[in-house]
Amino acid sequence: MHTRKLHITLAVAISMAAALAGCGGSSNNGVESKSPKQIVDAAQKAAEGAKSVHVTGLVNTTGGKLSLDLHLVRGTGAKGSISQGPLSFQLVQVGGSVYINGGAAFYEHFAGSEAARLLKGKWLKAPASTAQFASLTSLANMHRLFTSALGPLATFSKGGTSTVNGQKVVAVKDNFKGGYLYVATTGKPYPVQISRSGTSGGKVDFGEWDAPVSITAPSNAIDISKLKAGAR
């Protein structure tokens, strides 16, 4: 899997993303009586109003299963890990920069064995605006994430009520992309999960809404942009 394929799989993850576990409160929020569009709108509004969220999931891609474990903080950034098969890396986005710390297999795959030896245990830094990191930047942005996952282009039909991750939910079927969105029927109407079957399917959950999360830039990171500048 080369760099372009990794970016494509991350974009797939973004389109799949949306979900939540545990929203607090036990009173019925009335969302289950609304129309499918109203349910989706309520879920998007609740999600975009949150300060933080924990994203976990597993998505099928052409390159294999993509695993996500990210904490997102509105207006600050994100931290966590992403992996696909033996390729894995830690991610931090904060202060306009993206930091990546890859495993040995990750560095060897993208930079060769010699570079993997030199980069072992080290963080790489680049501006978040760098084109190569566009997918990572979108994935770590709460507004972009939910706008992509719950955008207005899809058409929906209403499903029944059930329980997902211990949370009472109402289901909404995405008739355009396929799969189901599950929205909490108690407390705030957060999205609880989006699941999709098939070769491009998967499942993504969100939890720990508004939980305090500290994100700080790794120390002694290697600034890729300065290395490129020095190579000219």
Side-chain angles (χ1 to χ4, degrees):
M1 181 181 69
H2 51 66
T3 303
R4 177 175 174 78
K5 287 185 177 179
L6 178 61
H7 293 160
I8 292 174
T9 57
L10 290 173
V12 171
I14 295 173
S15 68
M16 279 292 302
L20 139 86
C23 65
S26 58
S27 60
N28 190 297
N29 57 30
V31 74
E32 63 186 277
S33 64
K34 297 181 180 294
S35 69
K37 183 181 184 306
Q38 288 174 326
I39 295 174
V40 174
D41 288 346
Q44 184 168 2
K45 182 178 179 180
E48 291 189 352
K51 295 179 181 178
S52 65
V53 65
H54 185 197
V55 185
T56 56
L58 196 63
V59 181
N60 297 324
T61 72
T62 55
K65 293 184 180 298
L66 183 73
S67 178
L68 304 171
D69 188 343
L70 297 171
H71 287 272
L72 310 185
V73 180
R74 179 176 303 284
T76 300
K79 68 176 182 179
S81 62
I82 299 174
S83 64
Q84 186 172 47
L87 307 179
S88 63
F89 62 93
Q90 292 176 280
L91 166 72
V92 173
Q93 182 181 330
V94 65
S97 297
V98 172
Y99 301 82
I100 291 177
N101 189 334
F106 179 88
Y107 282 140
E108 184 168 352
H109 184 85
F110 291 106
S113 57
E114 180 63 19
R117 184 181 66 80
L118 295 173
L119 295 175
K120 181 179 179 181
K122 300 184 183 302
W123 285 89
L124 303 182
K125 173 186 177 182
S129 58
T130 304
Q132 296 94 313
F133 296 102
S135 295
L136 291 177
T137 302
S138 296
L139 187 65
N141 184 292
M142 286 183 68
H143 174 72
R144 293 181 184 178
L145 182 96
F146 289 109
T147 297
S148 175
L150 305 175
L153 298 180
T155 57
F156 302 93
S157 58
K158 192 173 178 179
T161 58
S162 61
T163 300
V164 174
N165 297 332
Q167 171 68 57
K168 294 180 179 179
V169 298
V170 59
V172 179
K173 183 178 180 180
D174 185 334
N175 297 320
F176 180 73
K177 297 178 182 178
Y180 288 86
L181 163 68
Y182 297 93
V183 178
T185 59
T186 59
K188 291 185 178 180
Y190 287 122
V192 174
Q193 181 185 96
I194 278 185
S195 62
R196 185 188 306 168
S197 60
T199 55
S200 61
K203 182 175 68 175
V204 179
D205 297 298
F206 277 49
E208 301 175 41
W209 290 94
D210 287 323
V213 178
S214 176
I215 300 178
T216 57
S219 59
N220 301 317
I222 300 173
D223 193 327
I224 296 176
S225 62
K226 290 184 178 180
L227 289 177
K228 289 182 178 180
R232 293 191 183 97

